[in-house]
Amino acid sequence: MGDATGLLQFLKAVGEMAQGALSPTISPVWERHLLNARTPPRVTYAHLEFDQEFMDRNDDEISQPNNMVNLSFFFGSNEISTLRKLIPPHYQCTTHDILTACLWRCHTKALQPDPDQHIRLICIVNTRSKFNPPLPLGYYGNTIAYPTTVTIADKLCRSPLEYAIELVKHTKGKATEEYMKSTADFLVTNGRPSLALNRWSFLLSNLTRIKFQYVDFGWGKAVYGGDANNTDGKHLIPFTNTKGEDGIVVPLYLPALIMERFVNELNSLLKNENPNGNHNYIKSNM
């Protein structure tokens, strides 16, 4: 019914009214017809995010609840600076791009796939800014796109980091107004399939611009604002650690053995940040 931006709008409205406002600053807008499928439908993209051939029926054997581990990884300015040393000095990319690329590669290596295994990156993208004319202020419906890119495990793991970063950029760049219209048309003509997720899929969303922590119900700024459950994907969440350092926290929920390998892979990337190996990016168990 809504997405993170719509939920934030709702929470802010509740906060304003809890503090005495008679109505929210931004009034809610329904207008769901704006994202309806076209007549006739025209699917103009290959929507790999819904390709059921990528479903792995053996995933449940790996992801038994008693075998899963929760860890949260904090990336401050020092960690991001260390990651940027892995790419050429003049190579342009955002913090989101390089962090996603590094997490994706570490996760893939931790899975220890066959060299020719198809690996997918799925980026959750808010497309509100992509529409022309713009969606009305106050529209709280779901404008999320799930653009997907497929590559080969060996190429992802052995290529320079810029290869993974370029795939991240390319994946996010697919999320246009036409992509959203094509998605609606695809869902209508294919019986609304669910996302096709398996162990070889890396699903990530960037919540650093969704300021949940600033929602105020009259008690001041929140200690934390983000997902309470991290079983449905990977999320980049703005966070201030116990040292008062602003950064990004990434909660992960993985099988124990894969988590152990993931931590080792991430350690190897950040080895220059702390020669003793006692990194501060593991924030806590959740």
Side-chain angles (χ1 to χ4, degrees):
M1 188 172 82
D3 55 18
T5 301
L7 175 60
L8 178 61
Q9 178 187 333
F10 171 74
L11 293 176
K12 284 184 174 179
V14 173
E16 289 173 350
M17 298 181 76
Q19 297 184 72
L22 297 179
S23 61
T25 301
I26 300 176
S27 298
V29 174
W30 182 252
E31 300 293 339
R32 298 307 169 100
H33 66 277
L34 296 174
L35 271 69
N36 278 356
R38 294 173 287 200
T39 305
R42 299 192 307 277
V43 180
T44 54
Y45 283 84
H47 290 281
L48 301 176
E49 63 268 38
F50 301 113
D51 190 340
Q52 299 303 303
E53 291 185 6
F54 285 98
M55 295 294 289
D56 190 338
R57 305 306 174 187
N58 297 319
D59 275 1
D60 290 341
E61 299 176 8
I62 298 174
S63 302
Q64 292 296 325
N66 60 357
N67 187 42
M68 303 300 289
V69 175
N70 279 291
L71 282 179
S72 293
F73 299 82
F74 178 80
F75 296 87
S77 57
N78 289 338
E79 289 77 21
I80 298 300
S81 177
T82 299
L83 295 180
R84 286 193 176 277
K85 294 175 183 176
L86 302 174
I87 58 177
H90 302 295
Y91 181 77
Q92 298 294 316
C93 68
T94 66
T95 296
H96 170 255
D97 293 338
I98 191 170
L99 191 50
T100 300
C102 289
L103 292 170
W104 183 27
R105 284 221 312 188
C106 288
H107 180 261
T108 300
K109 290 181 179 181
L111 294 175
Q112 296 186 347
D114 292 333
D116 59 351
Q117 175 66 49
H118 285 178
I119 302 293
R120 295 194 306 161
L121 172 68
I122 306 174
C123 290
I124 301 178
V125 181
N126 179 356
T127 64
R128 274 175 169 74
S129 63
K130 309 294 184 181
F131 287 85
N132 186 21
L135 295 175
L137 181 66
Y139 181 84
Y140 62 93
N142 190 351
T143 67
I144 293 300
Y146 298 89
T148 301
T149 293
V150 180
T151 188
I152 302 300
D154 188 63
K155 189 171 185 181
L156 175 64
C157 296
R158 292 181 180 273
S159 298
L161 184 57
E162 302 93 277
Y163 172 75
I165 295 173
E166 287 301 314
L167 289 181
V168 173
K169 292 179 180 179
H170 172 71
T171 305
K172 293 192 305 179
K174 291 181 180 180
T176 62
E177 179 177 3
E178 176 57 32
Y179 190 92
M180 286 298 289
K181 291 179 178 179
S182 178
T183 299
D185 295 343
F186 180 91
L187 291 172
V188 164
T189 56
N190 288 273
R192 295 185 175 275
S194 60
L195 284 176
L197 300 175
N198 63 10
R199 77 184 82 170
W200 313 117
S201 303
F202 190 79
L203 173 70
L204 186 136
S205 67
N206 179 12
L207 298 178
T208 57
R209 296 183 180 180
I210 308 295
K211 305 297 185 180
F212 284 118
Q213 70 272 32
Y214 292 110
V215 173
D216 187 352
F217 298 104
W219 305 315
K221 181 181 175 182
V223 174
Y224 169 82
D227 279 11
N229 184 323
N230 63 335
T231 61
D232 59 346
K234 289 76 179 173
H235 309 277
L236 307 184
I237 301 171
F239 191 76
T240 302
N241 66 11
T242 55
K243 299 177 182 178
E245 181 185 10
D246 292 331
I248 296 171
V249 68
V250 184
L252 293 184
Y253 182 70
L254 297 172
L257 179 58
I258 295 175
M259 181 67 84
E260 180 181 354
R261 295 174 188 160
F262 178 88
V263 170
N264 290 336
E265 291 294 337
L266 197 52
N267 268 327
S268 69
L269 289 183
L270 295 171
K271 59 186 177 183
N272 294 325
E273 192 265 332
N274 187 338
N276 297 321
N278 297 319
H279 301 296
N280 68 355
Y281 58 79
I282 298 181
K283 163 65 174 62
S284 66
N285 289 318
M286 295 185 71

